[in-house]
Amino acid sequence: MLIDKPMPMFALTTVDGDEVTNADLPDQVFLLNIWGSYCLPCLIEHPTFMRLAEEGEIPVVGVNYRDRQNLARNWLDDNGNPFEFSILDESGRFGIDLGVYGAPETYLIDSDGVIRYRHVSVLDESVWREEFMPAIAELRGGVSK
């Protein structure tokens, strides 16, 4: 389990073909969402991520897990793209480094790149309110002191 440990180092590309590394991650509290075009539960949680992106509540970085680039791009074109960027993990190697069981999963990462919380399954509005909002408030409170 990587809770309270730094995110694994990576150098990959996004679903758009841009190169990304840990240095490209937000330098503030953010969400890391594991998703795939094949994942029906990902479609259920997608409106929550779209709302978060539209409201600018928290940055969301995607990890497109064990999927194909063209399918991932088409899925984002069809359903909207809430991600700052989405890391392409076709082989699943980065997911293995993270300890991913499967899509969807969402990690809460602090401003230092340390994994602070992990939710396995759909992140809907009730999970957002009950689990993530208190954890984010605590992390942000700790950062501003």
Side-chain angles (χ1 to χ4, degrees), residues 61-96:
V61 173
V63 175
N64 180 247
Y65 180 65
R66 299 183 65 104
D67 203 353
R68 294 211 319 263
Q69 186 174 18
N70 63 320
L71 297 176
R73 271 200 308 253
N74 290 343
W75 193 92
L76 291 172
D77 287 345
D78 291 345
N79 298 294
N81 187 351
F83 305 117
E84 304 274 319
F85 57 87
S86 194
I87 300 163
L88 183 63
D89 185 22
E90 286 181 319
S91 70
R93 181 72 230 172
F94 183 53
I96 289 168

Short mmCIF file of all heavy atoms in Angstrom, two decimals, residues 61-96:
data_model
loop_
_atom_site.label_atom_id
_atom_site.label_comp_id
_atom_site.label_asym_id
_atom_site.label_seq_id
_atom_site.Cartn_x
_atom_site.Cartn_y
_atom_site.Cartn_z
N VAL A 61 -6.08 14.56 -12.33
CA VAL A 61 -5.20 13.94 -13.32
C VAL A 61 -5.72 12.53 -13.54
O VAL A 61 -6.05 11.82 -12.58
CB VAL A 61 -3.73 13.92 -12.83
CG1 VAL A 61 -2.85 13.12 -13.78
CG2 VAL A 61 -3.20 15.34 -12.66
N GLY A 62 -5.80 12.12 -14.78
CA GLY A 62 -6.27 10.78 -15.10
C GLY A 62 -5.12 9.82 -15.33
O GLY A 62 -4.02 10.23 -15.70
N VAL A 63 -5.41 8.55 -15.11
CA VAL A 63 -4.52 7.47 -15.55
C VAL A 63 -5.40 6.53 -16.35
O VAL A 63 -6.27 5.86 -15.80
CB VAL A 63 -3.86 6.72 -14.37
CG1 VAL A 63 -3.04 5.53 -14.90
CG2 VAL A 63 -2.99 7.64 -13.54
N ASN A 64 -5.18 6.53 -17.66
CA ASN A 64 -5.94 5.64 -18.54
C ASN A 64 -5.28 4.27 -18.47
O ASN A 64 -4.21 4.05 -19.03
CB ASN A 64 -5.95 6.21 -19.96
CG ASN A 64 -6.73 5.33 -20.90
OD1 ASN A 64 -6.15 4.74 -21.80
ND2 ASN A 64 -8.02 5.21 -20.69
N TYR A 65 -5.93 3.36 -17.76
CA TYR A 65 -5.34 2.10 -17.31
C TYR A 65 -5.68 0.94 -18.24
O TYR A 65 -6.86 0.65 -18.45
CB TYR A 65 -5.83 1.82 -15.89
CG TYR A 65 -5.33 0.56 -15.27
CD1 TYR A 65 -3.98 0.39 -14.99
CD2 TYR A 65 -6.21 -0.46 -14.93
CE1 TYR A 65 -3.51 -0.77 -14.40
CE2 TYR A 65 -5.76 -1.63 -14.33
CZ TYR A 65 -4.41 -1.78 -14.07
OH TYR A 65 -3.94 -2.93 -13.49
N ARG A 66 -4.63 0.31 -18.78
CA ARG A 66 -4.76 -0.89 -19.61
C ARG A 66 -5.80 -0.71 -20.71
O ARG A 66 -6.71 -1.52 -20.87
CB ARG A 66 -5.07 -2.10 -18.75
CG ARG A 66 -3.96 -2.40 -17.74
CD ARG A 66 -4.25 -3.63 -16.94
NE ARG A 66 -4.23 -4.79 -17.81
CZ ARG A 66 -3.24 -5.67 -17.89
NH1 ARG A 66 -2.20 -5.54 -17.12
NH2 ARG A 66 -3.31 -6.69 -18.71
N ASP A 67 -5.65 0.35 -21.44
CA ASP A 67 -6.60 0.73 -22.48
C ASP A 67 -5.81 1.02 -23.75
O ASP A 67 -4.58 0.95 -23.74
CB ASP A 67 -7.36 1.99 -22.00
CG ASP A 67 -8.71 2.18 -22.67
OD1 ASP A 67 -9.05 1.44 -23.61
OD2 ASP A 67 -9.43 3.10 -22.24
N ARG A 68 -6.49 1.35 -24.83
CA ARG A 68 -5.82 1.74 -26.06
C ARG A 68 -6.01 3.23 -26.28
O ARG A 68 -7.09 3.77 -26.02
CB ARG A 68 -6.37 0.92 -27.23
CG ARG A 68 -6.02 -0.56 -27.06
CD ARG A 68 -5.81 -1.32 -28.35
NE ARG A 68 -6.73 -1.03 -29.42
CZ ARG A 68 -7.81 -1.74 -29.71
NH1 ARG A 68 -8.16 -2.77 -28.97
NH2 ARG A 68 -8.56 -1.41 -30.74
N GLN A 69 -4.96 3.87 -26.76
CA GLN A 69 -4.93 5.32 -26.89
C GLN A 69 -6.11 5.85 -27.71
O GLN A 69 -6.77 6.80 -27.31
CB GLN A 69 -3.61 5.76 -27.51
CG GLN A 69 -3.43 7.25 -27.56
CD GLN A 69 -2.05 7.64 -28.05
OE1 GLN A 69 -1.33 6.84 -28.65
NE2 GLN A 69 -1.67 8.87 -27.80
N ASN A 70 -6.39 5.23 -28.85
CA ASN A 70 -7.48 5.74 -29.69
C ASN A 70 -8.83 5.58 -29.00
O ASN A 70 -9.69 6.46 -29.10
CB ASN A 70 -7.47 5.06 -31.07
CG ASN A 70 -7.73 3.56 -30.99
OD1 ASN A 70 -7.24 2.87 -30.08
ND2 ASN A 70 -8.48 3.04 -31.94
N LEU A 71 -9.04 4.50 -28.27
CA LEU A 71 -10.30 4.30 -27.54
C LEU A 71 -10.43 5.33 -26.42
O LEU A 71 -11.52 5.86 -26.18
CB LEU A 71 -10.38 2.88 -26.99
CG LEU A 71 -10.41 1.75 -28.02
CD1 LEU A 71 -10.39 0.39 -27.32
CD2 LEU A 71 -11.61 1.89 -28.96
N ALA A 72 -9.33 5.60 -25.75
CA ALA A 72 -9.34 6.58 -24.66
C ALA A 72 -9.67 7.97 -25.18
O ALA A 72 -10.51 8.68 -24.62
CB ALA A 72 -7.99 6.59 -23.94
N ARG A 73 -9.01 8.36 -26.28
CA ARG A 73 -9.28 9.69 -26.86
C ARG A 73 -10.73 9.81 -27.31
O ARG A 73 -11.39 10.82 -27.07
CB ARG A 73 -8.34 9.96 -28.03
CG ARG A 73 -7.04 10.60 -27.60
CD ARG A 73 -6.34 11.29 -28.76
NE ARG A 73 -6.18 10.41 -29.90
CZ ARG A 73 -5.03 9.88 -30.30
NH1 ARG A 73 -3.92 10.14 -29.63
NH2 ARG A 73 -4.98 9.11 -31.34
N ASN A 74 -11.25 8.78 -27.96
CA ASN A 74 -12.65 8.80 -28.40
C ASN A 74 -13.60 8.91 -27.22
O ASN A 74 -14.59 9.64 -27.26
CB ASN A 74 -12.99 7.55 -29.23
CG ASN A 74 -12.30 7.54 -30.58
OD1 ASN A 74 -11.83 8.57 -31.05
ND2 ASN A 74 -12.22 6.38 -31.19
N TRP A 75 -13.31 8.18 -26.13
CA TRP A 75 -14.16 8.20 -24.94
C TRP A 75 -14.19 9.61 -24.35
O TRP A 75 -15.26 10.11 -23.99
CB TRP A 75 -13.63 7.19 -23.92
CG TRP A 75 -14.55 6.87 -22.80
CD1 TRP A 75 -15.47 5.86 -22.76
CD2 TRP A 75 -14.65 7.54 -21.53
NE1 TRP A 75 -16.12 5.88 -21.54
CE2 TRP A 75 -15.64 6.89 -20.77
CE3 TRP A 75 -13.98 8.63 -20.97
CZ2 TRP A 75 -15.98 7.30 -19.49
CZ3 TRP A 75 -14.32 9.02 -19.69
CH2 TRP A 75 -15.31 8.36 -18.96
N LEU A 76 -13.03 10.26 -24.25
CA LEU A 76 -12.99 11.62 -23.73
C LEU A 76 -13.69 12.60 -24.67
O LEU A 76 -14.38 13.52 -24.21
CB LEU A 76 -11.55 12.06 -23.48
CG LEU A 76 -10.83 11.35 -22.33
CD1 LEU A 76 -9.36 11.73 -22.31
CD2 LEU A 76 -11.50 11.64 -21.00
N ASP A 77 -13.55 12.41 -25.98
CA ASP A 77 -14.25 13.27 -26.94
C ASP A 77 -15.76 13.13 -26.78
O ASP A 77 -16.49 14.11 -26.84
CB ASP A 77 -13.86 12.91 -28.38
CG ASP A 77 -12.45 13.36 -28.74
OD1 ASP A 77 -11.87 14.19 -28.00
OD2 ASP A 77 -11.93 12.87 -29.76
N ASP A 78 -16.23 11.91 -26.55
CA ASP A 78 -17.67 11.64 -26.44
C ASP A 78 -18.25 12.09 -25.10
O ASP A 78 -19.40 12.53 -25.04
CB ASP A 78 -17.97 10.15 -26.61
CG ASP A 78 -17.73 9.66 -28.03
OD1 ASP A 78 -17.61 10.50 -28.95
OD2 ASP A 78 -17.64 8.43 -28.22
N ASN A 79 -17.48 11.95 -24.03
CA ASN A 79 -18.03 12.14 -22.68
C ASN A 79 -17.54 13.40 -21.96
O ASN A 79 -18.04 13.72 -20.89
CB ASN A 79 -17.71 10.92 -21.82
CG ASN A 79 -18.36 9.67 -22.37
OD1 ASN A 79 -19.58 9.56 -22.39
ND2 ASN A 79 -17.56 8.74 -22.87
N GLY A 80 -16.56 14.08 -22.54
CA GLY A 80 -15.98 15.26 -21.91
C GLY A 80 -14.70 14.88 -21.20
O GLY A 80 -14.51 13.73 -20.79
N ASN A 81 -13.82 15.87 -21.06
CA ASN A 81 -12.50 15.61 -20.47
C ASN A 81 -12.30 16.48 -19.23
O ASN A 81 -12.01 17.66 -19.35
CB ASN A 81 -11.41 15.88 -21.49
CG ASN A 81 -10.05 15.49 -20.99
OD1 ASN A 81 -9.86 15.15 -19.82
ND2 ASN A 81 -9.07 15.53 -21.87
N PRO A 82 -12.43 15.88 -18.04
CA PRO A 82 -12.25 16.64 -16.80
C PRO A 82 -10.80 16.72 -16.33
O PRO A 82 -10.51 17.33 -15.31
CB PRO A 82 -13.07 15.84 -15.80
CG PRO A 82 -12.86 14.42 -16.25
CD PRO A 82 -12.83 14.50 -17.76
N PHE A 83 -9.88 16.06 -17.07
CA PHE A 83 -8.52 15.89 -16.59
C PHE A 83 -7.59 17.02 -17.03
O PHE A 83 -7.67 17.48 -18.16
CB PHE A 83 -7.95 14.56 -17.08
CG PHE A 83 -8.80 13.38 -16.72
CD1 PHE A 83 -9.41 12.59 -17.68
CD2 PHE A 83 -9.01 13.04 -15.38
CE1 PHE A 83 -10.18 11.50 -17.35
CE2 PHE A 83 -9.78 11.95 -15.03
CZ PHE A 83 -10.38 11.18 -16.01
N GLU A 84 -6.69 17.43 -16.12
CA GLU A 84 -5.60 18.34 -16.50
C GLU A 84 -4.83 17.68 -17.64
O GLU A 84 -4.44 18.31 -18.59
CB GLU A 84 -4.67 18.57 -15.31
CG GLU A 84 -5.33 19.10 -14.07
CD GLU A 84 -5.46 20.60 -14.07
OE1 GLU A 84 -4.50 21.27 -14.49
OE2 GLU A 84 -6.51 21.09 -13.67
N PHE A 85 -4.57 16.40 -17.49
CA PHE A 85 -4.05 15.51 -18.52
C PHE A 85 -4.32 14.10 -18.04
O PHE A 85 -4.63 13.87 -16.87
CB PHE A 85 -2.56 15.73 -18.81
CG PHE A 85 -1.65 15.59 -17.63
CD1 PHE A 85 -1.13 14.36 -17.26
CD2 PHE A 85 -1.28 16.71 -16.88
CE1 PHE A 85 -0.28 14.23 -16.17
CE2 PHE A 85 -0.43 16.59 -15.79
CZ PHE A 85 0.07 15.34 -15.43
N SER A 86 -4.26 13.15 -18.96
CA SER A 86 -4.50 11.76 -18.60
C SER A 86 -3.31 10.92 -19.07
O SER A 86 -3.00 10.87 -20.26
CB SER A 86 -5.80 11.26 -19.23
OG SER A 86 -6.18 10.04 -18.63
N ILE A 87 -2.65 10.30 -18.12
CA ILE A 87 -1.47 9.48 -18.38
C ILE A 87 -1.91 8.19 -19.07
O ILE A 87 -2.84 7.52 -18.61
CB ILE A 87 -0.75 9.15 -17.05
CG1 ILE A 87 -0.32 10.45 -16.36
CG2 ILE A 87 0.42 8.22 -17.29
CD1 ILE A 87 0.03 10.27 -14.88
N LEU A 88 -1.27 7.85 -20.17
CA LEU A 88 -1.57 6.63 -20.90
C LEU A 88 -0.75 5.48 -20.30
O LEU A 88 0.48 5.52 -20.32
CB LEU A 88 -1.24 6.82 -22.39
CG LEU A 88 -1.55 5.67 -23.31
CD1 LEU A 88 -3.05 5.38 -23.34
CD2 LEU A 88 -1.04 5.99 -24.71
N ASP A 89 -1.45 4.50 -19.76
CA ASP A 89 -0.80 3.34 -19.13
C ASP A 89 -1.30 2.06 -19.81
O ASP A 89 -1.98 1.25 -19.21
CB ASP A 89 -1.12 3.34 -17.62
CG ASP A 89 -0.39 2.24 -16.86
OD1 ASP A 89 0.65 1.75 -17.35
OD2 ASP A 89 -0.87 1.87 -15.78
N GLU A 90 -0.97 1.95 -21.10
CA GLU A 90 -1.47 0.82 -21.89
C GLU A 90 -1.04 -0.53 -21.32
O GLU A 90 -1.82 -1.47 -21.30
CB GLU A 90 -1.01 0.94 -23.35
CG GLU A 90 -1.75 2.00 -24.13
CD GLU A 90 -1.30 2.09 -25.58
OE1 GLU A 90 -0.09 1.99 -25.85
OE2 GLU A 90 -2.18 2.26 -26.43
N SER A 91 0.18 -0.62 -20.84
CA SER A 91 0.71 -1.89 -20.34
C SER A 91 0.21 -2.20 -18.92
O SER A 91 0.26 -3.34 -18.48
CB SER A 91 2.24 -1.87 -20.31
OG SER A 91 2.70 -0.98 -19.29
N GLY A 92 -0.22 -1.17 -18.19
CA GLY A 92 -0.64 -1.35 -16.81
C GLY A 92 0.51 -1.29 -15.82
O GLY A 92 0.32 -1.44 -14.62
N ARG A 93 1.72 -1.04 -16.29
CA ARG A 93 2.91 -1.03 -15.42
C ARG A 93 2.83 0.07 -14.36
O ARG A 93 3.13 -0.16 -13.19
CB ARG A 93 4.17 -0.86 -16.27
CG ARG A 93 5.45 -0.85 -15.48
CD ARG A 93 5.77 -2.22 -14.96
NE ARG A 93 6.06 -2.05 -13.54
CZ ARG A 93 6.24 -3.03 -12.69
NH1 ARG A 93 6.15 -4.27 -13.07
NH2 ARG A 93 6.51 -2.79 -11.44
N PHE A 94 2.43 1.28 -14.76
CA PHE A 94 2.31 2.38 -13.80
C PHE A 94 1.22 2.05 -12.78
O PHE A 94 1.40 2.30 -11.58
CB PHE A 94 2.01 3.69 -14.53
CG PHE A 94 1.94 4.88 -13.62
CD1 PHE A 94 2.96 5.19 -12.75
CD2 PHE A 94 0.83 5.72 -13.64
CE1 PHE A 94 2.89 6.30 -11.90
CE2 PHE A 94 0.74 6.83 -12.81
CZ PHE A 94 1.78 7.12 -11.94
N GLY A 95 0.13 1.47 -13.24
CA GLY A 95 -0.93 1.05 -12.32
C GLY A 95 -0.44 0.04 -11.31
O GLY A 95 -0.78 0.11 -10.13
N ILE A 96 0.40 -0.89 -11.75
CA ILE A 96 0.98 -1.88 -10.84
C ILE A 96 1.84 -1.17 -9.80
O ILE A 96 1.76 -1.46 -8.60
CB ILE A 96 1.80 -2.94 -11.62
CG1 ILE A 96 0.85 -3.84 -12.40
CG2 ILE A 96 2.69 -3.75 -10.67
CD1 ILE A 96 1.54 -4.72 -13.42
#
